[in-house]
Amino acid sequence: MQNPVILFRLPHLPSSRLLHHSSFLTLIITHTNLGKARRPRARRLRTREWSGYSSSRSCSGGRVREMPCSAIGGAGGGGGDSNGALSNFKLNESTFLASLMPKKEIGADRFIDAHPNYDGRGALIAIFDSGVDPAASGLQVTSDGKPKVLDVLDCTGSGDVDTSKVVKADDDGCIRGASGASLFVNSSWKNPSGEWHVGYKLVYELFTNTLTSRLKKEKRKKWDEQNQEEIAKAVKHLQEFDQKHSRLDDVNLKRAREDLQNRVDYLQKQADSYDDKGPVIDAVVWHDGEVWRVALDTQTLEDDPDCGKLANFVPLTNYRIERKYGVFSKLDACTFVANVYDEGNILSIVTDCHPHGTHVAGIATAFHPKEPLLNGVAPGAQIISCKIGDSRLGLMETGTGLTRALIAAVEHKCDLINMSYGEATLLPDYGRFVDLVNEAVNKHHLIFVSSAGNNGPALSTVGAPGGTTSSIIGVGAYVSPAMAAGAHCVVEAPGEGLEYTWSSRGPTSDGALGVCISAPGAAVAPVPTWTLQRRMLMNGTSMSSPSACGGIALLVSAMKAEGIPVSPYSVRKALENTSVPIGSLPEDKLSTGQGLMQVDKAHEYLRQSRDVPSVWYQIKINQSGKTTPTSRGIYLREASAFQQSTEWTVQVEPKFHEGASNLEDLVPFEECIELHSSEKAVLRAPDFLLLTHNGRSFNIVVDPTNVSEGLHYFELYGVDCKAPWRGPLFRIPVTITKPIAVISRPPLLSFSRMSFLPGHIERRFIEVPLGATWVEATMRTSGFDTSRRFFIDSVQLCPLQRPLKWESVVTFSSPAAKSFSFPVVGGQTMELAIAQFWSSGIGSHETTIVDFEIVFHGISINKDEVVLDGSEGPARIEAEALLASETLAPVAILNKIRIPYRPVESKLCSLSTDRDKLPSEKRIMALTLTYKIKLEDGAEVKPQVPLLNNRVYDTKFESQFYMISDANKRIYAMGDIYPSKSRLPKGDYNLRLYLRHDNVQYLEKLKQLVLFIERNLEEKDVIRLSFFSQPDGPLMGNGSFKSSVLVPGKKEAFYLGPPSKDKLLKFSSQGSVLLGAISYGKLSYVDKGEGKNPLKNPVSYQISYIVPPNKMDEDKEKGSSTSTKPVSERLKEEVRDAKIKVLASLKQDTEEDCLEWKKLSSSLKSEYPKYTPLFAKILEAVLSRSNDKDKVCHEKEVIDAANEVVDSVDRDELAKFFALRSDPDDEEAEKIKKKMETTRDQLAEALYQKGLALAEIESLQAEGAEGGEKIEDLLKPGSDLFESNFKELQKWVEVKSSKYGTLSVLREKRSGRLGTALKVLNDVIQDDGEPPKKKFYDLKISLLDEIGWQHLAAHERQWMHVRFPPSLPLF
């Protein structure tokens, strides 16, 4: 995954894995360590902000070795005009426009001039990206008038709407939408079944962050205007009141003024707390007898109430059928597409989640009949858009999206795939997605093109899948003088073309070249309409990949027209053997691949080799005597590899496409191969090889003993003896990075007076001394005028890990010195790459002089990870400084807790839609695991599944996705393989984890999958651990260890004490793990007092503490005292309670049930006339019974039942009890207290329910409802039953608490004090520790409506869909 950067007018920089970069020369935005979490979750567009270069290197001390190149293309290192090398380069209008969409560099313009009909016609490209806008400029038709975009798919499911609910229209054609809105269907719409599937979507979930931001600003502006108008009215009313009433002697006047003031305050607070979750759109799906149709109601997006109505919507169907799209509204200008799945039960609303995908599609295929210079590379090609960037995750690709995209590409019989996404990987050429790609390429002849990555300039930075997968053509990013002068607007163009500085470099960790070819890495291309512009500039390998893909589409177009079989094997061979080298050194191939692709030359090669079998030569290499690991090249990097020659066994296996004929293809295959070494003094091999279908192995010897320090690249390649014009049939890359040994003590290296010009890279390979754990480096610059920008990378490779990379981008405005520190692994070779940014200093002609000094530091310890087992015993740690004296100053903290959970439910099902059926006809299965999570207080949490997290491409599992929701089904967080932190309030939550695979056995094994919830501790709860010089120190409190000076050759030990038990948090349950960090050293230049946080020290290690069982509760151990009541009395109580339990269990669904219940309740009331718990249960039963026919009568029953509870309580005795304090140590007194508290609560509940019933009767009778006596008939003359009941309740409880607050609100409302009612209600909601209650928000909306604040009521109604959705969203 690469560092995303956006250039030109792109409104925001997403954290995403798209592989594009864009930038003004002065803007640099970097995300380091992008292989880890959303990492910062950069996901993973391969678009980049910078541009960089690595071929203008110093050649001192090295000699140019001959490397193989195409017989058609001819040899050469400079490339001349073909790769853009020009002197005194000047642009005119036409060359400027051409530079914005570079095609000359790869020979595409020459090819189309020579073959106008081979402009991509007949080629179909699948764009795996963030989604393509079919309304974007240049993406409507092909050069021969055919539709450009054949299908638009959201493969992630982020736009899915649950439309499984089916409704019928009434006689007026009205249906109830899923949002609750009344919708009128158009009478002309055909619907033979009369069934309408309904669903709804929060529209912001479909929009990008940039678009959402723009819309929020527009909406906020209008909302503020409305709110200010209401504030002005409220203030005016308050002022008029004050003028009318100079004295407030009457309590009612005081309350009236308080109400007016509360209205002003409420409106002002709403402006501060305004949070726009966006409008809701209703969706309706139906079958018209032929196809599924879709209509949307978008009235909530429009200011005009007559716009956006459902009946006025022009129905859509699946895009591939009619190729029609819609626009939500003129304000958003956002195009969308509809697709229906699962017999109308799932609607997919497809929007793009970033301009990246449209830009990529435009580079490959845009057609502008009036602006031909701005055409894409293959204007005649068609595309399908497969959105793999999930809008819910900020553009992150998901396994679900990748798999569905491959299914769609095969189903549509695509010729090519372009994917400008990716990230680092710990295993190259491995994983579920790679397996599916291999099947698509080998069986279905798909040509897969992908970006190599934007993590250069260091070596071994190519990303997956483009740079690490054998079946994918990985593309590096190249910039020509014309592109620099035109697209990038530099003051002075470089003298020749070069690779961008940031373009990722090979080799892969298993020795493969990594980059296959290079192509232009920047363009001004179309973007979606919602950006409110036609095109913009982006740069990155995200742009070089579609440039190459478009060039290959030209070849496919020609091959189809000329009857040449299209094979990814033959196309790749043609590209590699006809590319023009970039740079003159052999090791430049690690940056540029085989060079800059040339379409016209590749076409000639394919013509000449049309009768040659399409074969891929698979290379497997093992060091002689070892069966593992198997590699695709030879990569000698560590110091031990240079002590002697090594022998390697190479297995060459010709691979034909699946379906090749045994007799016609496999048996006749036989080739006489001549093997060539680019440097026989280092790389020796047999001269010839007879190769048949079953393959052949041979041995080679690599002798690195005499190579000089630094980077060396060699190749062994095989040429067909009978057809040498074919060029190399296979290549075995051999990369040697001989490191410098650090022998001085203290361990210090200086690289003096290194000269830099724009794009120049200096690489130093250093054998990190054993015992080193961090580096302190200083960079000094001199000799320049204008500012200089440098990339500084450090990379180490360790087994089964992603490359350990540290990077920094530094700008020097004037000669100065800067210091850095970063961790290292002792004993492993480290590459230090220093590069002057390709465009930095252009036009200055001043050479930058750099002095770079590295000092290695290290404290070796006997355990990389410290685990405290939960006992009182300390952990012994042994430290040693192997290199030089170091200050030992250990610091340790525990700042996280990780709590394990097992699923409480698991559901396994087969996915029914065709988008989840693999080309092999296998159905994908889905496993949904549900975990129950309880938070005692608000916290920032992060779910983790160690088995599955942090691997996208290098995993055999297909995909994962999680959602966290509360009891109301509100979604608080969602994520995938890179879980992110989410702030959750106190409460109970469900976490649903969704896993997919076609192998049910794998999913069965995961039904009890352990999931961890990791939460950061608040600063006040962070535990700082202590160190001791004695083993009894933690217990005795003596022998504290602070710091010491380690002398080389002498070990020192100390103890780390466990946390004291009183510091363990209440939620630290048994089995939980407290996590933190421990560090041992500190930087030499850190000020005194710093370094107290181990995470801020140069290197830190994980520390964990296993939470032991809690101590026994002494109170529980005492046991309960024996009852002193006589047996006969206890028996009577047990019988009474059993009878009440039976009464509570009786159902009241039918009239017979109700009669039985009333009969038993009457009997029990006569038997126990003063037993309050009985009457409380009767009240509960009455409340649970609904009576829609006569609501007034039902509320009267509630009042009667409540009165019985109240009458059963001796309130005087209750009041006397609570007037006195009980002795907490008196067990009997505590029992009485508990009983009295229960009675008080039952009394309060009865008064509360009675008050609600009285208020409801008032409301019903005000609306004209009939039934029973009027409320006045229940009152004594001159009394207010509601008010008297309320005052009685006030005696016993806090009436403004969340439990009873509704009654306080109703009291204010019935008195006409709506402002005070809103204030009380808001206080109740904020004080409520439980999940939000729908009744409170319904009441709030009714109050807002009654006051007339429609803008606030509408806002609250939108929030209702967020707080109380009817169902959980689809995965």
Side-chain angles (χ1 to χ4, degrees):
M1 105 175 54
Q2 316 324 324
N3 306 333
V5 181
I6 311 302
L7 171 59
F8 224 38
R9 292 178 54 197
L10 183 57
H12 84 301
L13 171 64
S15 247
S16 191
R17 303 193 227 302
L18 299 165
L19 296 181
H20 82 272
H21 308 308
S22 45
S23 71
F24 281 125
L25 300 178
T26 56
L27 170 64
I28 290 194
I29 306 168
T30 65
H31 294 285
T32 61
N33 202 18
L34 292 180
K36 300 182 182 174
R38 274 175 222 319
R39 318 171 176 11
R41 217 157 115 143
R43 291 208 178 207
R44 282 186 93 116
L45 300 155
R46 288 212 164 138
T47 304
R48 198 156 173 137
E49 71 178 329
W50 27 67
S51 313
Y53 166 51
S54 72
S55 65
S56 292
R57 297 177 230 178
S58 169
C59 298
S60 59
R63 62 193 180 90
V64 178
R65 292 181 293 272
E66 180 185 358
M67 299 298 287
C69 55
S70 164
I72 293 178
D81 183 64
S82 339
N83 75 346
L86 292 171
S87 58
N88 300 319
F89 184 82
K90 298 291 182 183
L91 288 175
N92 55 38
E93 182 181 354
S94 62
T95 55
F96 167 71
L97 291 175
S99 74
L100 302 182
M101 184 66 78
K103 296 181 281 290
K104 180 179 180 181
E105 288 78 356
I106 60 173
D109 57 344
R110 300 190 299 271
F111 180 78
I112 292 179
D113 286 344
H115 309 284
N117 292 329
Y118 297 171
D119 62 353
R121 298 174 198 188
L124 180 58
I125 306 173
I127 305 292
F128 288 13
D129 216 285
S130 61
V132 176
D133 181 359
S137 173
L139 295 182
Q140 279 67 58
V141 296
T142 64
S143 56
D144 57 346
K146 294 179 180 177
K148 174 66 70 176
V149 184
L150 297 187
D151 206 354
V152 179
L153 303 166
D154 178 3
C155 300
T156 68
S158 58
D160 284 2
V161 180
D162 183 353
T163 51
S164 57
K165 182 179 180 180
V166 178
V167 298
K168 297 272 189 176
D170 62 18
D171 294 339
D172 297 324
C174 181
I175 61 174
R176 174 72 66 177
S179 73
S182 295
L183 308 172
F184 287 90
V185 298
N186 191 311
S187 59
S188 66
W189 294 345
K190 295 179 181 178
N191 184 355
S193 69
E195 295 183 341
W196 305 90
H197 292 250
V198 295
Y200 78 89
K201 190 78 169 175
L202 289 164
V203 76
Y204 285 175
E205 294 177 359
L206 300 170
F207 293 164
T208 67
N209 289 339
T210 304
L211 176 55
T212 299
S213 233
R214 171 162 69 82
L215 295 178
K216 281 185 175 182
K217 286 179 183 177
E218 295 283 344
K219 286 188 64 182
R220 179 62 190 262
K221 183 180 177 182
K222 294 174 184 176
W223 186 91
D224 280 340
E225 290 172 356
Q226 294 172 320
N227 201 56
Q228 284 301 121
E229 184 178 343
E230 294 299 337
I231 290 175
K233 289 180 183 177
V235 169
K236 182 181 178 183
H237 292 157
L238 181 60
Q239 291 172 341
E240 289 174 349
F241 182 90
D242 288 341
Q243 290 171 2
K244 185 176 180 180
H245 305 283
S246 56
R247 298 182 61 183
L248 302 177
D249 297 329
D250 183 70
V251 66
N252 289 327
L253 284 177
K254 289 180 180 179
R255 288 176 177 173
R257 191 191 185 285
E258 182 185 9
D259 177 64
L260 292 174
Q261 183 64 54
N262 285 332
R263 295 187 185 210
V264 175
D265 295 343
Y266 186 87
L267 288 166
Q268 290 174 338
K269 286 180 181 178
Q270 292 306 297
D272 296 333
S273 61
Y274 178 86
D275 185 10
D276 180 13
K277 288 296 181 181
V280 168
I281 56 172
D282 272 289
V284 179
V285 175
W286 72 97
H287 199 278
D288 69 359
E290 297 179 0
V291 296
W292 287 99
R293 292 286 175 186
V294 176
L296 302 183
D297 183 276
T298 59
Q299 292 183 79
T300 53
L301 297 173
E302 303 284 359
D303 293 329
D304 185 344
D306 293 327
C307 292
K309 290 182 177 179
L310 179 75
N312 297 335
F313 189 91
V314 178
L316 300 174
T317 186
N318 287 20
Y319 183 85
R320 68 185 299 182
I321 297 174
E322 295 180 349
R323 292 187 291 278
K324 292 180 180 178
Y325 53 82
V327 177
F328 290 106
S329 70
K330 292 180 180 179
L331 180 61
D332 56 72
C334 182
T335 307
F336 69 90
V337 160
N339 293 307
V340 180
Y341 302 103
D342 194 21
E343 295 302 311
N345 292 320
I346 297 176
L347 166 64
S348 174
I349 303 176
V350 190
T351 57
D352 66 272
C353 60
H354 192 278
H356 187 271
T358 302
H359 195 273
V360 163
I363 292 172
T365 70
F367 173 59
H368 303 282
K370 296 181 180 180
E371 302 167 308
L373 289 174
L374 294 175
N375 280 350
V377 180
Q382 295 175 297
I383 64 171
I384 67 166
S385 169
C386 299
K387 178 182 172 183
I388 60 171
D390 196 307
S391 299
R392 299 167 293 187
L393 304 176
L395 315 185
M396 177 68 189
E397 73 269 40
T398 62
T400 298
L402 292 166
T403 301
R404 285 176 174 169
L406 278 172
I407 291 170
V410 173
E411 180 194 352
H412 282 75
K413 294 182 171 54
C414 292
D415 301 292
L416 302 104
I417 294 172
N418 183 86
M419 179 171 160
S420 294
Y421 265 70
E423 63 178 48
T425 179
L426 60 89
L427 283 172
D429 211 28
Y430 168 88
R432 164 77 168 169
F433 180 68
V434 172
D435 293 341
L436 295 174
V437 168
N438 290 341
E439 180 184 350
V441 172
N442 301 332
K443 182 176 181 179
H444 301 285
H445 297 216
L446 274 161
I447 303 168
F448 202 124
V449 186
S450 185
S451 44
N454 305 322
N455 283 339
L459 301 184
S460 300
T461 50
V462 285
T468 61
T469 307
S470 295
S471 56
I472 294 177
I473 298 172
V475 187
Y478 166 87
V479 58
S480 69
M483 293 166 60
H488 289 289
C489 299
V490 298
V491 173
E492 180 180 315
E496 62 180 2
L498 62 159
E499 208 77 359
Y500 281 99
T501 308
W502 38 254
S503 188
S504 290
R505 269 70 175 175
T508 63
S509 59
D510 68 342
L513 187 58
V515 183
C516 176
I517 55 173
S518 290
V524 175
V527 287
T529 56
W530 61 260
T531 63
L532 307 185
Q533 62 188 90
R534 294 179 64 197
R535 52 180 69 94
M536 67 172 60
L537 171 65
M538 298 184 196
N539 61 181
T541 54
S542 277
M543 283 61 253
S544 62
S545 181
S547 178
C549 188
I552 298 170
L554 301 180
L555 297 175
V556 170
S557 180
M559 294 170 78
K560 287 186 174 183
E562 296 177 357
I564 302 172
V566 178
S567 163
Y569 305 157
S570 58
V571 168
R572 179 169 185 154
K573 195 62 58 191
L575 292 171
E576 291 179 338
N577 286 340
T578 59
S579 294
V580 174
I582 305 169
S584 58
L585 299 178
E587 48 266 31
D588 287 329
K589 284 193 174 187
L590 297 170
S591 299
T592 68
Q594 301 305 326
L596 188 62
M597 68 175 287
Q598 300 295 302
V599 176
D600 50 349
K601 295 178 182 178
H603 176 232
E604 290 302 320
Y605 183 98
L606 288 165
R607 275 181 167 178
Q608 192 170 349
S609 57
R610 64 184 303 156
D611 297 325
V612 176
S614 296
V615 175
W616 168 49
Y617 298 83
Q618 185 179 45
I619 304 296
K620 296 180 179 179
I621 304 173
N622 296 93
Q623 189 167 354
S624 295
K626 296 182 179 180
T627 55
T628 58
T630 298
S631 63
R632 295 172 294 163
I634 297 173
Y635 194 3
L636 302 183
R637 185 178 173 96
E638 306 308 327
S640 59
F642 299 93
Q643 298 173 2
Q644 61 185 21
S645 299
T646 52
E647 187 175 18
W648 303 78
T649 300
V650 178
Q651 177 74 26
V652 182
E653 298 181 14
K655 296 292 183 182
F656 289 77
H657 286 291
E658 287 189 34
S661 168
N662 288 342
L663 293 177
E664 295 178 9
D665 298 317
L666 307 190
V667 173
F669 179 80
E670 186 173 278
E671 292 180 334
C672 176
I673 305 295
E674 183 177 3
L675 298 176
H676 296 265
S677 169
S678 62
E679 181 55 80
K680 291 187 177 181
V682 177
L683 178 57
R684 289 180 292 149
D687 293 329
F688 291 93
L689 182 72
L690 184 63
L691 188 62
T692 64
H693 162 252
N694 289 317
R696 181 65 191 272
S697 64
F698 60 93
N699 286 5
I700 62 175
V701 175
V702 179
D703 181 7
T705 56
N706 294 320
V707 300
S708 59
E709 292 171 343
L711 172 61
H712 304 270
Y713 178 79
F714 309 94
E715 272 186 3
L716 177 70
Y717 54 96
V719 175
D720 187 344
C721 301
K722 298 178 181 179
W725 58 266
R726 294 173 62 193
L729 303 184
F730 58 84
R731 293 176 170 90
I732 299 170
V734 178
T735 307
I736 296 175
T737 57
K738 188 171 185 178
I740 302 168
V742 183
I743 57 177
S744 65
R745 291 295 180 270
L748 180 148
L749 283 177
S750 294
F751 306 113
S752 302
R753 299 200 61 77
M754 295 182 288
S755 297
F756 286 87
L757 290 172
H760 179 64
I761 300 174
E762 287 286 344
R763 303 183 190 278
R764 297 292 185 269
F765 298 90
I766 305 163
E767 180 186 355
V768 177
L770 284 170
T773 52
W774 81 90
V775 160
E776 294 180 15
T778 302
M779 180 177 178
R780 295 180 178 85
T781 57
S782 60
F784 61 93
D785 43 19
T786 58
S787 65
R788 298 290 191 269
R789 180 179 300 143
F790 283 88
F791 281 23
I792 307 166
D793 285 2
S794 164
V795 172
Q796 289 184 281
L797 301 184
C798 296
L800 294 181
Q801 288 188 40
R802 292 181 174 182
L804 304 178
K805 184 182 181 187
W806 171 87
E807 61 183 14
S808 182
V809 180
V810 185
T811 299
F812 292 89
S813 57
S814 61
K818 293 185 184 293
S819 296
F820 318 93
S821 65
F822 50 90
V824 294
V825 177
Q828 300 289 126
T829 294
M830 175 188 80
E831 177 191 359
L832 175 68
I834 307 169
Q836 185 170 325
F837 190 63
W838 74 272
S839 61
S840 177
I842 280 186
S844 166
H845 303 291
E846 292 280 350
T847 300
T848 309
I849 303 300
V850 173
D851 296 299
F852 207 96
E853 182 181 271
I854 294 177
V855 181
F856 290 95
H857 294 264
I859 296 177
S860 297
I861 54 172
N862 61 337
K863 50 185 72 177
D864 286 342
E865 181 178 347
V866 179
V867 179
L868 297 167
D869 59 12
S871 70
E872 285 70 21
R876 180 180 177 275
I877 299 172
E878 198 173 88
E880 181 182 15
L882 299 178
L883 304 176
S885 295
E886 298 284 358
T887 299
L888 175 64
V891 182
I893 61 172
L894 296 172
N895 60 351
K896 299 177 183 177
I897 185 167
R898 184 179 287 177
I899 303 172
Y901 292 88
R902 291 262 188 201
V904 298
E905 182 182 55
S906 63
K907 290 183 179 179
L908 184 62
C909 66
S910 174
L911 300 174
S912 59
T913 62
D914 286 342
R915 61 178 174 171
D916 294 314
K917 184 171 71 174
L918 295 169
S920 62
E921 299 299 318
K922 286 185 179 180
R923 284 276 177 193
I924 295 173
M925 312 291 289
L927 174 66
T928 304
L929 303 176
T930 303
Y931 301 81
K932 298 284 186 183
I933 299 165
K934 185 177 183 67
L935 294 179
E936 298 294 342
D937 50 19
E940 191 175 63
V941 304
K942 180 168 75 170
Q944 290 193 332
V945 184
L947 174 67
L948 304 174
N949 287 162
N950 303 320
R951 292 184 292 147
V952 181
Y953 299 102
D954 45 358
T955 175
K956 289 291 184 179
F957 290 95
E958 179 178 307
S959 66
Q960 57 188 282
F961 202 97
Y962 70 83
M963 295 184 186
I964 301 176
S965 58
D966 66 6
N968 296 318
K969 301 185 179 67
R970 176 181 176 181
I971 299 297
Y972 277 86
M974 53 181 65
D976 66 335
I977 53 156
Y978 291 103
S980 57
K981 297 175 184 176
S982 304
R983 186 80 190 178
L984 302 182
K986 171 186 175 182
D988 296 326
Y989 296 90
N990 286 335
L991 186 150
R992 293 185 303 146
L993 179 63
Y994 181 75
L995 308 170
R996 291 164 44 108
H997 206 283
D998 64 295
N999 190 320
V1000 68
Q1001 293 180 347
Y1002 293 162
L1003 296 177
E1004 287 283 355
K1005 292 178 180 179
L1006 298 178
K1007 283 190 171 181
Q1008 290 300 315
L1009 183 68
V1010 173
L1011 174 142
F1012 292 97
I1013 293 295
E1014 183 177 289
R1015 58 185 290 182
N1016 291 338
L1017 303 184
E1018 301 292 338
E1019 186 61 36
K1020 62 182 177 61
D1021 296 324
V1022 171
I1023 301 172
R1024 301 189 179 279
L1025 301 179
S1026 300
F1027 297 87
F1028 302 90
S1029 55
Q1030 301 171 1
D1032 299 320
L1035 184 65
M1036 308 294 290
N1038 59 358
S1040 176
F1041 181 88
K1042 296 297 183 183
S1043 65
S1044 176
V1045 176
L1046 291 174
V1047 179
K1050 185 178 180 181
K1051 294 182 179 180
E1052 189 161 341
F1054 53 94
Y1055 293 92
L1056 171 65
S1060 60
K1061 299 300 183 286
D1062 60 339
K1063 290 185 178 179
L1064 296 183
L1065 306 177
K1066 60 182 178 181
F1067 48 79
S1068 303
S1069 57
Q1070 179 181 357
S1072 302
V1073 179
L1074 288 166
L1075 298 173
I1078 183 170
S1079 67
Y1080 303 95
K1082 62 180 183 180
L1083 296 174
S1084 60
Y1085 53 81
V1086 168
D1087 294 336
K1088 190 174 182 180
E1090 294 186 24
K1092 293 184 178 180
N1093 184 345
L1095 296 171
K1096 294 183 179 179
N1097 286 336
V1099 58
S1100 62
Y1101 307 87
Q1102 180 169 293
I1103 181 173
S1104 56
Y1105 173 78
I1106 301 170
V1107 178
N1110 295 327
K1111 67 177 182 179
M1112 299 298 293
D1113 191 332
E1114 295 179 4
D1115 295 335
K1116 290 182 180 178
E1117 291 299 300
K1118 292 179 181 177
S1120 56
S1121 60
T1122 307
S1123 173
T1124 58
K1125 292 181 180 179
V1127 173
S1128 59
E1129 185 177 344
R1130 287 164 51 197
L1131 183 60
K1132 287 180 181 178
E1133 290 178 354
E1134 293 286 347
V1135 170
R1136 176 198 66 203
D1137 293 344
K1139 290 179 178 179
I1140 295 173
K1141 188 175 181 181
V1142 170
L1143 176 67
S1145 68
L1146 292 180
K1147 296 180 179 179
Q1148 300 183 64
D1149 298 335
T1150 64
E1151 289 187 13
E1152 292 77 7
D1153 292 340
C1154 290
L1155 288 173
E1156 286 292 328
W1157 182 88
K1158 287 180 179 178
K1159 183 178 178 181
L1160 179 57
S1161 63
S1162 297
S1163 171
L1164 292 177
K1165 281 193 283 187
S1166 351
E1167 192 173 354
Y1168 309 107
K1170 286 293 183 180
Y1171 189 57
T1172 303
L1174 167 64
F1175 293 102
K1177 283 292 180 185
I1178 292 173
L1179 175 59
E1180 283 181 24
V1182 172
L1183 289 169
S1184 67
R1185 190 169 65 231
S1186 61
N1187 188 343
D1188 294 331
K1189 295 180 181 178
D1190 191 347
K1191 292 183 179 180
V1192 174
C1193 183
H1194 174 68
E1195 298 301 338
K1196 277 196 61 191
E1197 287 185 56
V1198 172
I1199 293 171
D1200 292 341
N1203 283 335
E1204 289 179 332
V1205 175
V1206 174
D1207 293 341
S1208 71
V1209 177
D1210 186 339
R1211 283 172 280 174
D1212 291 336
E1213 181 186 354
L1214 196 64
K1216 288 178 184 177
F1217 175 83
F1218 284 108
L1220 302 174
R1221 296 183 62 182
S1222 61
D1223 182 1
D1225 295 328
D1226 185 337
E1227 196 172 330
E1228 193 63 32
E1230 282 298 299
K1231 287 184 179 179
I1232 295 172
K1233 179 184 177 183
K1234 187 176 180 181
K1235 179 181 177 182
M1236 287 296 190
E1237 287 174 344
T1238 302
T1239 302
R1240 179 194 62 195
D1241 293 343
Q1242 290 169 340
L1243 171 63
E1245 179 66 15
L1247 292 169
Y1248 174 65
Q1249 295 297 339
K1250 179 181 177 181
L1252 293 179
L1254 290 168
E1256 182 65 16
I1257 290 174
E1258 281 186 345
S1259 174
L1260 291 170
Q1261 291 187 342
E1263 294 172 4
E1266 297 180 358
E1269 307 165 84
K1270 291 186 177 181
I1271 193 167
E1272 290 83 355
D1273 300 333
L1274 303 172
L1275 307 178
K1276 295 178 181 178
S1279 67
D1280 183 341
L1281 188 55
F1282 179 93
E1283 188 64 24
S1284 61
N1285 181 79
F1286 184 85
K1287 288 180 178 178
E1288 180 66 23
L1289 179 63
Q1290 272 183 313
K1291 296 176 183 178
W1292 304 104
V1293 291
E1294 173 52 60
V1295 291
K1296 291 185 179 180
S1297 67
S1298 60
K1299 187 170 184 180
Y1300 307 106
T1302 303
L1303 209 57
S1304 297
V1305 176
L1306 293 175
R1307 183 195 187 204
E1308 299 297 335
K1309 179 182 177 183
R1310 70 193 294 271
S1311 300
R1313 298 189 293 268
L1314 302 182
T1316 304
L1318 275 172
K1319 180 183 182 304
V1320 173
L1321 181 56
N1322 255 14
D1323 293 342
V1324 168
I1325 291 172
Q1326 290 174 6
D1327 293 342
D1328 189 8
E1330 300 298 318
K1333 296 181 176 63
K1334 188 171 183 294
K1335 64 178 182 179
F1336 289 158
Y1337 292 93
D1338 286 336
L1339 182 54
K1340 180 190 276 194
I1341 291 172
S1342 72
L1343 290 172
L1344 293 171
D1345 282 335
E1346 193 169 339
I1347 293 177
W1349 292 342
Q1350 294 306 316
H1351 69 295
L1352 295 182
H1355 184 68
E1356 285 296 332
R1357 286 190 176 92
Q1358 288 182 1
W1359 262 95
M1360 293 295 279
H1361 297 288
V1362 177
R1363 293 189 180 105
F1364 309 103
S1367 61
L1368 290 166
L1370 301 173
F1371 282 102

